[in-house]
Amino acid sequence: MAAKPKLTPERWAEVRNHWELDRRDGYAWLVEELGLPVSAPGVRKTALRDGWLKKAPLHLPGEKPTVKAAETKAKAGKPKPPRKEGSARKVSKVSGKRETIGETKARETKETLTLTTANKLERDPDEFGVFDDLTDQQEMFVREYLVDLNATQAAIRAGYSPKSAMSLGCQLLKNPKIDSAINALHSARAKRLGIESDDLMRSWSAILTLDANEIAQLRRVCCPYCWGAEHQRQYTPSGLEEAKTKHARERARRLKADENDDIGEFPDYTDAWYDKRRPPHEDCPECHGEGVADVFFNDTRNLSPAARLVYAGVKAGKDGIEVLTMSKEKAADNLARALGMFKDKEAEVTINMTSMGELSLIYETRMKQARERQALVLAERGIVDGERRAS
């Protein structure tokens, strides 16, 4: 990749003079307006290093200061009223401690400023000095890596060679300066989204400790013969109607084939209804007290908060309903990494480079060994080299 052209000291002096005499802040407009072959962060680094200062006023003569500035100035001239002794203290919903109204406002202001700073940092990181110690290409790699967290593709998009992008991407991530910039932007994004590391670890811990029976269960229930009179088959109301229909169909089929083959009417059913909620009967001659397997799914609308973290929906197919859940193994792995319980071992790769002379020597040695083995095999078979050629 060709190196970017550098500006001469005279050209830098012109750029500096143009920026100092202009009212606008920032550097992106300067690069675009003057057509500079340097990025905005590169101009900013030079400006901080050489101490550029604005010579133009913040507002033109005759212009009024902004309303915000006027309000700030007006408020600054007013003395603050002293806080009354014994002012009411309220319990904070966040910290659980008793706070005065002033302390509550201060805390809320601090939280708002933290969130605002995180938004600004993620939107314009070069203004916070995140990229000060990086080259333009390293800065581009950081920005591209945050898009999809793919080091190889980020290196390619940043302009590095595609042939060495995989190994180079790993090396760039190990660079302390690049790692610091990525962590800063990751933290800003997490704060903007309201995500804390403790919240993630609590979620992973809840997934690990959840009893899966809260979502789905495999139950051993009584079979239809467990609790019938003298262990006769019990029916449910719909099962009884189905059995009667099946009996009538079989009776008609037999009578059609042979009028003397009559199996009679379906016997009257006076037993209790089959209730699979009862446990298996230990003396049942049908299931021998083991019952039958029955799958039960809990109502997902009534799951606990921990179970909702694990539950990922259902999938209905030809084989029935499948409950989708989060992986406990993945949660355990994430939690262990976050707590530093184990570290990944880097694979050690050793590459032995061999010269052309050594390769030729190896080739000749192997060919000589092959010819010796071939001659030995021919001698064992009683074949002379001349006869083999003639045949």
Side-chain angles (χ1 to χ4, degrees):
M1 180 178 179
K4 293 183 179 179
K6 296 183 179 179
L7 298 181
T8 62
E10 294 77 12
R11 180 58 173 162
W12 272 118
E14 295 176 5
V15 174
R16 175 176 181 174
N17 186 58
H18 189 87
W19 183 83
E20 290 181 339
L21 293 177
D22 198 286
R23 298 171 54 213
R24 290 171 289 180
D25 204 354
Y27 305 96
W29 64 269
L30 184 66
V31 173
E32 183 178 358
E33 189 171 296
L34 300 182
L36 301 178
V38 185
S39 65
V43 178
R44 180 178 181 275
K45 293 176 185 177
T46 304
L48 294 176
R49 184 191 63 203
D50 297 342
W52 294 8
L53 294 175
K54 284 287 186 183
K55 296 178 182 178
L58 296 177
H59 54 86
L60 296 175
E63 274 188 345
K64 294 183 179 180
T66 60
V67 177
K68 199 172 194 179
E71 291 178 354
T72 304
K73 186 175 181 182
K75 290 181 180 179
K78 295 181 180 179
K80 295 182 180 180
R83 184 175 66 85
K84 296 181 181 181
E85 295 184 1
S87 58
R89 289 178 175 265
K90 297 182 179 181
V91 178
S92 169
K93 295 181 179 180
V94 177
S95 61
K97 299 178 181 178
R98 301 187 69 82
E99 298 177 345
T100 63
I101 297 177
E103 291 171 344
T104 303
K105 289 184 177 180
R107 175 178 54 78
E108 292 175 348
T109 302
K110 183 178 179 181
E111 293 172 353
T112 304
L113 288 175
T114 300
L115 185 58
T116 304
T117 303
N119 292 339
K120 290 181 178 179
L121 174 58
E122 187 181 5
R123 185 174 62 251
D124 195 6
D126 56 335
E127 293 297 328
F128 288 81
V130 175
F131 302 131
D132 282 354
D133 298 329
L134 303 181
T135 65
D136 292 346
Q137 199 169 18
Q138 288 175 338
E139 174 190 337
M140 183 62 67
F141 170 78
V142 172
R143 293 180 183 274
E144 293 296 336
Y145 178 74
L146 291 173
V147 174
D148 54 8
L149 302 182
N150 188 320
T152 302
Q153 294 301 320
I156 295 174
R157 293 194 296 266
Y160 292 98
S161 172
K163 295 181 179 179
S164 58
M166 181 177 294
S167 60
L168 194 57
C170 297
Q171 294 176 12
L172 290 170
L173 290 179
K174 293 178 182 178
N175 187 317
K177 297 177 181 179
I178 293 178
D179 182 65
S180 176
I182 291 175
N183 289 336
L185 294 177
H186 270 316
S187 299
R189 180 178 295 179
K191 288 182 180 179
R192 178 178 61 82
L193 296 175
I195 299 174
E196 298 291 341
S197 58
D198 289 346
D199 296 334
L200 287 175
M201 287 191 283
R202 274 193 289 268
S203 299
W204 294 331
S205 178
I207 292 174
L208 285 176
T209 57
L210 177 72
D211 183 3
N213 285 316
E214 185 176 345
I215 300 177
Q217 302 171 7
L218 176 64
R219 299 176 176 178
R220 303 296 300 187
V221 300
C222 62
C223 75
Y225 299 91
C226 280
W227 299 100
E230 298 181 357
H231 295 294
Q232 296 297 314
R233 180 183 177 89
Q234 288 183 310
Y235 294 95
T236 60
S238 60
L240 179 61
E241 293 301 322
E242 183 179 351
K244 287 182 177 180
T245 303
K246 185 177 179 181
H247 181 85
R249 190 182 301 115
E250 178 65 16
R251 182 185 183 189
R253 186 187 67 80
R254 291 193 178 190
L255 288 175
K256 184 177 180 180
D258 184 359
E259 60 181 10
N260 296 322
D261 187 11
D262 188 1
I263 59 176
E265 297 286 343
F266 188 86
D268 293 336
Y269 184 76
T270 57
D271 203 347
W273 299 116
Y274 170 57
D275 185 0
K276 67 177 182 180
R277 293 173 297 180
R278 301 182 68 178
H281 196 292
E282 60 181 6
D283 297 327
C284 177
E286 187 69 22
C287 69
H288 305 289
E290 294 183 359
V292 292
D294 185 56
V295 178
F296 175 80
F297 297 121
N298 282 312
D299 191 338
T300 56
R301 297 173 298 178
N302 303 325
L303 296 178
S304 66
R308 288 179 182 273
L309 291 173
V310 179
Y311 176 65
V314 295
K315 182 171 66 174
K318 61 180 182 179
D319 296 328
I321 297 177
E322 178 184 357
V323 178
L324 306 178
T325 58
M326 303 294 289
S327 171
K328 283 195 173 186
E329 291 78 7
K330 186 64 175 178
D333 182 70
N334 290 339
L335 187 60
R337 292 180 188 278
L339 296 176
M341 298 178 68
F342 58 84
K343 297 182 179 180
D344 293 333
K345 294 183 179 180
E346 298 180 0
E348 296 182 359
V349 180
T350 304
I351 302 177
N352 296 322
M353 301 300 294
T354 306
S355 64
M356 289 301 297
E358 292 174 341
L359 286 175
S360 299
L361 181 60
I362 293 173
Y363 174 77
E364 291 295 337
T365 303
R366 298 287 174 83
M367 289 299 295
K368 182 179 179 181
Q369 293 173 353
R371 285 193 293 267
E372 290 176 353
R373 287 196 299 270
Q374 184 180 25
L376 182 61
V377 171
L378 292 175
E380 291 178 351
R381 296 180 179 178
I383 302 175
V384 185
D385 187 56
E387 295 179 358
R388 183 175 63 83
R389 292 180 181 175
S391 60

